[in-house]
Amino acid sequence: MKIIDGGIVAPKGFKANGYKEGKYGVAIIVSEKEAVGAGTFTTNKVVAHPVVLSRELIKNKDKFRAIVANSGNANCFTKDGLEDAKEMQRLVAELFNINEDDVLVASTGVIGRKMNMEIIRDRINKVYNLIKEENSSINAAKAIMTTDTKPKEIAVEFEVNGKVVRVGGIAKGAGMIAPNMLHATMLCFITTDIEIDKESLTTVLQKVVDKTFNNISVDGDTSTNDTVFILANGLSGVNYKECKEEFENALLFVCRELAKMIVKDGEGATKFMEVVVRGAKSEEDAVKASKAIVNSLLVKTAVFGGDPNWGRIVAAVGYSGADFNPEIVDVLLSNYEDEVYLVKDGVPLADEGTAELKKAEEIMKSDEIKIVVDLKMGEFENICYGCDLSYEYVRINAEYTT
């Protein structure tokens, strides 16, 4: 497997483009032939209208032709929002001469505000004209950005018996990201030219989402609009049964890299953190403990302030619900070049005036921090990704609707 250019349009038979002006953007992704589709959606009980529409489509249909997504308005908790989502679907279907129920819809932006359909219609028409002239994954990625500071895209390929299979993706997300995903705040759209059935695609996608987007955190909030779509059109000529492991690894890599990009671009983020919990008695315990750490506001603010406060880390493990003995735990801090034990066999080492504390403080100055907690209770491990919580995060969200 190798990383290639092209993002969402790298797989054979896909076209995409996007257009954004001011707060409002639209991205459209189209397959030249029917593609098997799967998706995962938010677990929030307040659900955006595009999620309602697309979730029902994916439940009742196997194949699709297009995805349309807008930024600037979440189309959630509004009057006639479902009709607005259906109008987006209808407009794209008419322009590309496909069936309405072949179009999946997603939105992101401010909740509780009626969609300005005049603006959305304008953006959809502009993107249609752009797609006729140019294939641009990066434009599509830029069009769905909200408080993101940079677009997020990636693509990979691998060979099977001389044939090339590609997987590409774009994503957006910067705030309202919580490790709760069947879902987190984010949109992610993935394309692949592998041939695969709906059941297998759904199973693989959920497995990968559990390992990636389910394990990221910016601020602990779960959005009303979280959506991951994947379309597989089969144009590579390679069947999933020929390369199950290779395809799953490729999809896992694409989603993990996009998940990391989201976290690194978290609202106001200045530092990236990887949290590894190993030695757990069960997989559930490893997940509980790692998510508690990465989602802890006290840990996040300590990372922002450069404070190697191991007390906040073990406290998060303590309330996580994981089976945990503080008398045997290890806590290690790393910047991927250097590392130091804060706690070893339950004994704090990084006390005031120690060499360990001085080293830990130097490590905490790095832009990327790794926290490793060994529970020494079993053989299970989980990895989460997060970022710090800064003054800038408060400013961005205090001014979000203005």
Side-chain angles (χ1 to χ4, degrees), residues 63-245:
K63 295 184 177 181
F64 303 88
R65 287 288 305 279
I67 297 168
V68 58
N70 75 278
S71 60
N73 189 304
N75 193 10
C76 177
F77 215 67
T78 60
K79 184 180 180 181
D80 301 324
L82 187 58
E83 293 307 311
D84 291 340
K86 288 180 178 179
E87 184 172 354
M88 290 176 63
Q89 184 186 47
R90 179 184 59 77
L91 288 167
V92 171
E94 287 181 356
L95 288 169
F96 289 93
N97 195 27
I98 58 180
N99 295 326
E100 287 184 27
D101 63 0
D102 284 346
V103 183
L104 296 166
V105 184
S107 298
T108 181
V110 178
I111 297 169
R113 301 282 177 88
K114 171 120 177 103
M115 185 93 85
N116 187 324
M117 289 308 296
E118 183 178 347
I119 291 177
I120 299 302
R121 288 187 206 100
D122 171 75
R123 303 294 189 269
I124 288 175
N125 284 311
K126 281 185 168 66
V127 177
Y128 171 70
N129 290 323
L130 286 170
I131 283 180
K132 290 190 295 183
E133 299 172 1
E134 180 189 10
N135 230 352
S136 179
S137 173
I138 199 71
N139 282 352
K142 288 177 179 178
I144 58 174
M145 290 167 54
T146 51
T147 55
D148 308 62
T149 65
K150 61 193 74 172
K152 302 162 184 69
E153 67 167 359
I154 191 170
V156 299
E157 69 177 22
F158 60 92
E159 287 192 18
V160 181
N161 299 323
K163 296 180 179 179
V164 175
V165 177
R166 291 178 172 176
V167 181
I170 61 172
K172 66 78 52 183
M176 287 183 76
I177 305 292
N180 189 29
M181 203 175 151
L182 273 228
H183 325 132
T185 240
M186 49 154 293
L187 301 181
C188 177
F189 308 133
I190 305 161
T191 58
T192 178
D193 47 22
I194 200 166
E195 181 183 329
I196 189 171
D197 63 273
K198 174 71 171 290
E199 183 178 358
S200 297
L201 187 62
T202 301
T203 300
V204 174
L205 178 64
Q206 189 61 69
K207 180 180 177 182
V208 166
V209 165
D210 284 341
K211 291 182 178 180
T212 56
F213 300 121
N214 262 3
N215 281 313
I216 63 175
S217 173
V218 170
D219 57 14
D221 271 10
T222 300
S223 170
T224 57
N225 290 61
D226 302 336
T227 301
V228 177
F229 290 142
I230 184 169
L231 297 179
N233 65 16
L235 288 176
S236 68
V238 178
N239 191 280
Y240 169 64
K241 294 177 182 178
E242 302 174 58
C243 56
K244 289 184 178 181
E245 184 176 352

Side-chain angles (χ1 to χ4, degrees), residues 369-386:
I369 308 295
K370 183 177 182 180
I371 298 168
V372 180
V373 177
D374 191 341
L375 301 180
K376 300 181 181 177
M377 304 289 287
E379 303 299 322
F380 293 90
E381 176 179 299
N382 193 60
I383 303 173
C384 285
Y385 304 101

Side-chain angles (χ1 to χ4, degrees), residues 52-72:
V52 173
L53 176 61
S54 296
R55 188 167 56 189
E56 193 66 17
L57 284 170
I58 283 179
K59 178 181 176 182
N60 295 309
K61 260 180 114 272
D62 288 355
K63 295 184 177 181
F64 303 88
R65 287 288 305 279
I67 297 168
V68 58
N70 75 278
S71 60

